Amino acid sequence: MVENRPIGRALTHLVLILGVTFLCFPVWMALVASTHPPEALSRAPIPLWFGGQAWENYKTILSGGLSQAGGVPVARMMLNSAVMALGITLGKIAISLLSAFAIVYFRFPFRMAFFWMIFITLMLPVEVRILPTYDVMVKLSLLNSWGGLIVPLIASATATFLFRQFFLTVPDELVEAARIDRAGPMRFFWDILLPLSRTNIAAIFIILFIYGWNQYLWPLIITTDESLYTVVMGIGRMMNAGEALPVWHLIMATAVLAMLPPVLVVLAMQRLFVKGLVESEK
Amino acid sequence: MATVEIRDLTKIYPGGVSAVESVNATIGDGEFVVLVGPSGCGKSTILRMIAGLETITGGDLLIDGARVNDREPGERDIAMVFQNYALYPHMTVRRNMEYGLRNEGRAKDEIARRISEAARMLRLEDYLDRKPRQLSGGQRQRVAMGRAIVRDPKVFLFDEPLSNLDAKLRTQLRAELKALHDRLKATFVYVTHDQVEAMSLADRIAIMNAGRIEQIGTPMEVYQRPATRFVADFIGNPAMNFIEGRLDEGGHIKVDGTDVAQLGQAAPLHAGAKVIVGVRPEHLSLDASDPADGMMSLSMAATFQEQLGADTVIHGKVLGTDDALTLRLNGIHTVTPGQRINLGADTAHLHFFDAETGARLSA
Ligand SMILES: Nc1ncnc2c1ncn2[C@@H]1O[C@H](COP(=O)(O)OP(=O)(O)OP(=O)(O)O)[C@@H](O)[C@H]1O
Ligand SMILES: [Mg+2]
């Protein structure tokens, strides 16, 4: 774009190709390793090309379950992860849309105080408040439950803040036109604000889904019941399987599977996201 | 169709800005009233108080005889057209127009009937399934009007609806708006800062200044008998010329020592008081031959001219002073800078204002 000389172009491409290679290499290794028998991975030259064991490896982890991971089939763990990630994502979006709506469109006492309280929690990640949160969950007897897994992660200062910023850009006249058109606050929210936020919701959905899917520490602490294990936890447990040698071929196969849903979400949502950018309304 | 009555209406914004101060007005059924005034004088504030979008600090607002101060905008039976259209961007034209009716819970066939009627009136039939962003500015503004029409409100409110359009489209939509009013026979309250728009549309004009109404009257009333110097200055293009004069013992107004007029009986001013004499550029003529009866004569030094085709506007100074003077002549005239021009004005066309209060002196 800037440079049109051949050397410049070649150099640019070289740097880009190097970058891509660097980023993709681990993924490639995981893919390759998941298709080999265990012995191949413990010998000196680690294979760089696919082996012949793909079918067996994936079948083992998907259906059988692995003693090292508590005998839970990976399919089950994927399902758990998906429920948790979707629960967190949808919950976060719903809550933060509503709180941003309240903060931007309503005048109530201590409005700014509430806003700053939400804003300050941006500085407190899950890890910092993990003990008190755990305590609360115990008292509510939510250990080992979907509620315990999802609810504490739902409050989101980031998304609230982003939606607030977006709502502030919606022209006041739209609110006023809606008031004249006899739309009450919730009707305005549902009929006008929500459709206008579509592309923002898509973008935040991507970020939050990956955030939810990758949760490790909290599920580890809150669940001891194997039927609630998530796939990220499963990988962790397989690697720390005590004295036995790590089963790298199976771990890598699980990792590959664990990567798929976030990739699918990105691909699916990107469509909407880009579409929103191209045919920007107004 | 309805009347709008405004009694001592006052608005003080949080923070202490006093935007509207004790405004009184009565708008008749089916009347087209235009609020004009310079930027920041409180026009939009009044309109938004009528709409219910702004709370009323003091006074009463009556629509059709009922006090509506505390009613929600949706319950006042008004419709408003905004300067930037304020169409819902994600809805089609049809949905935009339907939205209010649906919220009122109207029957489907009635909604459809009203939409097709409004679409025909505004020539929007071909655009009903488009989104606002696929329309031109003029079409968008027509959709905004359509959204107001389908609700069949008691009062239509417009806040500078044509300001975002180019001059040609503005003229065209102005004519359509006038025709619309004639057809709907509804009460219109219209805000603009464009005096041409005000003069051509209004049954009555309200000229505002700093939160107050200076004068309400028909376009010809405010043109021929401006109640204050502010109104005289605001209405008319090019603006009225103002020349300083003095009142003598006999109630005569003198400019530069020459008698220009006899002020009617019992002028509220003492002898020697300053008086402002106003004369419109179009009422000055090159005919200065007989300065005797009924004519005021004065001389100007021209500085430059604007040739507009049908008219020529000559700018200059009153000879020997720094007071600006503008002269509008029919046809094509040419002046050279510095040229001295002798002018006359029929004293019937002169306006007199108290130099201190700006109030009109009866003459
Ligand atoms: N929300 C507000 N808070 C405080 N002051 C305001 C607010 N809205 C308007 N004002 C002030 O009130 C006065 C009148 O404003 P208004 O919008 O009615 O002017 P206007 O006559 O419509 O001007 P324009 O022709 O520029 O639209 C202005 O001095 C403005 O600064
Ligand atoms: Mg305004």
Side-chain angles (χ1 to χ4, degrees):
Chain A
M1 201 157 60
V2 187
E3 285 279 347
N4 231 350
R5 279 170 300 172
I7 298 181
R9 282 171 68 119
L11 211 67
T12 320
H13 276 90
L14 190 71
V15 171
L16 285 176
I17 288 168
L18 274 175
V20 169
T21 317
F22 195 69
L23 280 178
C24 290
F25 188 67
V27 179
W28 176 253
M29 285 309 289
L31 262 175
V32 167
S34 69
T35 61
H36 281 278
E39 312 83 55
L41 299 173
S42 45
R43 253 179 281 128
I46 297 176
L48 288 175
W49 193 250
F50 297 106
Q53 275 248 34
W55 177 244
E56 289 84 344
N57 288 353
Y58 283 97
K59 206 172 92 183
T60 317
I61 58 164
L62 274 176
S63 57
L66 216 56
S67 54
Q68 290 91 331
V72 187
V74 171
R76 170 76 211 205
M77 293 197 280
M78 296 272 287
L79 188 71
N80 291 347
S81 278
V83 171
M84 180 183 72
L86 282 175
I88 292 175
T89 309
L90 298 178
K92 265 179 189 289
I93 288 179
I95 293 252
S96 43
L97 272 169
L98 286 172
S99 9
F101 180 54
I103 282 173
V104 173
Y105 288 100
F106 292 85
R107 301 283 164 271
F108 50 90
F110 307 115
R111 190 172 63 97
M112 283 323 278
F114 280 110
F115 172 68
W116 284 109
M117 270 160 60
I118 294 175
F119 196 70
I120 283 170
T121 62
L122 266 178
M123 294 173 221
L124 299 176
V126 180
E127 291 73 13
V128 177
R129 55 184 164 89
I130 211 155
L131 282 175
T133 312
Y134 185 80
D135 194 37
V136 171
M137 289 299 118
V138 172
K139 286 187 177 135
L140 293 175
S141 48
L142 281 174
L143 291 187
N144 275 322
S145 70
W146 287 114
L149 206 51
I150 292 171
V151 172
L153 297 180
I154 275 183
S156 170
T158 325
T160 307
F161 189 68
L162 288 174
F163 283 128
R164 171 185 180 263
Q165 294 309 95
F166 171 69
F167 290 170
L168 288 179
T169 67
V170 172
D172 287 344
E173 283 84 355
L174 282 190
V175 189
E176 296 175 346
R179 282 178 72 189
I180 291 174
D181 272 343
R182 286 186 180 231
M186 283 327 282
R187 188 159 250 175
F188 168 73
F189 177 75
W190 196 253
D191 286 350
I192 292 159
L193 212 49
L194 216 52
L196 290 180
S197 313
R198 215 181 55 224
T199 55
N200 288 272
I201 293 175
I204 287 177
F205 187 94
I206 295 179
I207 298 168
L208 293 183
F209 183 83
I210 294 173
Y211 165 87
W213 183 267
N214 287 343
Q215 281 303 314
Y216 176 61
L217 189 58
W218 181 251
L220 194 65
I221 289 175
I222 198 80
T223 58
T224 45
D225 183 348
E226 280 142 12
S227 66
L228 285 175
Y229 277 9
T230 65
V231 71
V232 178
M233 277 169 75
I235 295 174
R237 285 183 68 99
M238 287 182 205
M239 294 185 37
N240 307 323
E243 285 127 52
L245 231 61
V247 277
W248 284 116
H249 59 307
L250 299 182
I251 295 176
M252 287 303 159
T254 313
V256 168
L257 286 180
M259 267 187 286
L260 282 181
V263 168
L264 289 179
V265 165
V266 169
L267 288 180
M269 288 289 167
Q270 202 186 24
R271 282 252 177 84
L272 184 61
F273 190 51
V274 173
K275 186 169 151 239
L277 288 183
V278 172
E279 57 170 43
S280 82
E281 315 198 275
K282 250 178 271 181
Chain B
M1 313 306 108
T3 58
V4 177
E5 236 181 295
I6 293 170
R7 293 187 194 148
D8 286 326
L9 203 66
T10 300
K11 175 72 191 182
I12 299 170
Y13 278 109
V17 183
S18 175
V20 174
E21 293 167 23
S22 289
V23 163
N24 284 289
T26 304
I27 298 166
D29 185 14
E31 202 175 11
F32 196 140
V33 168
V34 176
L35 289 173
V36 279
S39 186
C41 67
K43 311 178 292 283
S44 301
T45 305
I46 291 190
L47 199 74
R48 293 166 54 79
M49 283 195 283
I50 300 177
L53 298 173
E54 213 68 77
T55 55
I56 294 173
T57 317
D60 292 316
L61 170 69
L62 285 80
I63 295 180
D64 227 5
R67 187 174 180 275
V68 296
N69 283 38
D70 304 315
R71 283 199 207 155
E72 271 291 296
E75 287 153 13
R76 293 189 182 192
D77 211 349
I78 47 101
M80 181 150 169
V81 176
F82 297 85
Q83 176 174 355
N84 60 5
Y85 325 123
L87 300 175
Y88 310 119
H90 58 292
M91 296 186 190
T92 60
V93 168
R94 183 192 300 279
R95 290 281 312 190
N96 260 287
M97 298 208 287
E98 280 178 350
Y99 190 61
L101 298 178
R102 285 180 174 230
N103 291 341
E104 281 173 16
R106 304 259 174 196
K108 274 224 169 72
D109 51 340
E110 189 191 347
I111 294 180
R113 187 177 48 77
R114 288 199 192 187
I115 301 255
S116 67
E117 205 173 295
R120 190 165 35 74
M121 212 186 286
L122 294 164
R123 289 178 286 110
L124 283 170
E125 286 124 322
D126 297 340
Y127 308 113
L128 283 177
D129 294 316
R130 292 211 198 161
K131 295 267 179 74
R133 76 182 114 81
Q134 296 164 316
L135 299 176
S136 72
Q139 290 163 343
R140 284 182 211 186
Q141 196 50 277
R142 288 215 296 272
V143 176
M145 287 181 200
R147 188 167 66 178
I149 292 171
V150 293
R151 308 222 13 230
D152 191 19
K154 285 183 176 159
V155 184
F156 284 83
L157 306 171
F158 298 84
D159 194 351
E160 308 204 18
L162 307 182
S163 297
N164 285 1
L165 306 172
D166 67 59
K168 188 150 185 195
L169 203 56
R170 207 150 57 207
T171 318
Q172 183 194 334
L173 276 175
R174 204 159 69 203
E176 285 183 19
L177 208 62
K178 188 82 183 154
L180 194 68
H181 178 251
D182 289 344
R183 181 193 299 214
L184 295 174
K185 303 201 180 354
T187 310
F188 276 36
V189 184
Y190 187 103
V191 163
T192 178
H193 59 251
D194 178 348
Q195 50 142 324
V196 179
E197 225 166 271
M199 297 292 273
S200 60
L201 287 173
D203 292 331
R204 280 196 301 155
I205 296 183
I207 295 111
M208 289 195 62
N209 180 26
R212 295 173 181 282
I213 292 186
E214 297 255 331
Q215 184 175 9
I216 283 197
T218 65
M220 284 313 107
E221 268 165 32
V222 298
Y223 176 82
Q224 287 169 339
R225 281 184 58 83
T228 64
R229 179 181 168 169
F230 178 86
V231 174
D233 195 21
F234 193 83
I235 298 292
N237 186 29
M240 187 185 278
N241 297 301
F242 295 104
I243 304 161
E244 206 176 273
R246 274 190 192 280
L247 202 66
D248 76 357
E249 292 77 22
H252 296 277
I253 292 171
K254 302 210 160 178
V255 175
D256 249 357
T258 47
D259 206 346
V260 291
Q262 164 84 46
L263 210 54
Q265 73 285 45
L269 291 177
H270 57 87
K274 275 194 211 165
V275 172
I276 302 290
V277 179
V279 57
R280 297 197 180 277
E282 54 270 37
H283 293 148
L284 286 170
S285 63
L286 294 175
D287 171 26
S289 53
D290 182 12
D293 47 354
M295 291 294 278
M296 176 180 87
S297 66
L298 72 171
S299 308
M300 88 187 272
T303 48
F304 69 97
Q305 64 194 358
E306 295 172 89
Q307 291 188 322
L308 305 174
D311 294 324
T312 304
V313 177
I314 299 170
H315 299 265
K317 301 247 160 79
V318 179
L319 202 67
T321 72
D322 247 358
D323 296 339
L325 195 67
T326 315
L327 156 71
R328 180 181 192 142
L329 298 170
N330 272 329
I332 298 169
H333 297 261
T334 318
V335 294
T336 50
Q339 184 181 336
R340 179 193 165 122
I341 307 171
N342 292 322
L343 300 169
D346 189 336
T347 49
H349 283 144
L350 298 184
H351 308 263
F352 304 104
F353 304 99
D354 184 332
E356 260 164 44
T357 63
R360 181 182 188 87
L361 300 171
S362 55

